[in-house]
């Protein structure tokens, strides 16, 4: 019985830790804009606009980090 409780506490602690650390990859995105530019999000604090050079690469930032709105 005590081993089962210990296992449950350990499992709960590991699940809580994994939820707190999170996974950055699934929330990254890029959105194509007119004129060959893209909005690129590489983390919660790194959102920028840059020219798109190919399907997976972008040029130098035109609008640097932390774009909050595009009209």
């Amino acid at each position: 019985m005590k081993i089962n409780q210990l296992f449950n506490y350990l499992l709960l602690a590991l699940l809580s830790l994994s939820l707190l650390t999170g996974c950055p990859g699934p929330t990254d995105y890029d959105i194509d804009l007119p004129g060959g530019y893209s909005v690129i999000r590489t983390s919660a604090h790194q959102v920028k606009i840059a020219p798109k050079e190919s399907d997976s690469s972008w040029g130098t930032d035109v609008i640097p980090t932390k774009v909050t709105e595009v009209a």
Side-chain angles (χ1 to χ4, degrees), residues 11-23:
L11 184 61
L12 181 63
L14 288 174
L15 287 174
S16 298
L17 181 63
S18 67
L19 287 175
L20 290 174
T21 57
C23 302

Side-chain angles (χ1 to χ4, degrees), residues 46-60:
Q46 297 285 327
V47 183
K48 55 192 175 182
I49 295 178
K52 191 167 191 173
E53 294 179 348
S54 70
D55 286 339
S56 61
S57 67
W58 293 269
T60 306

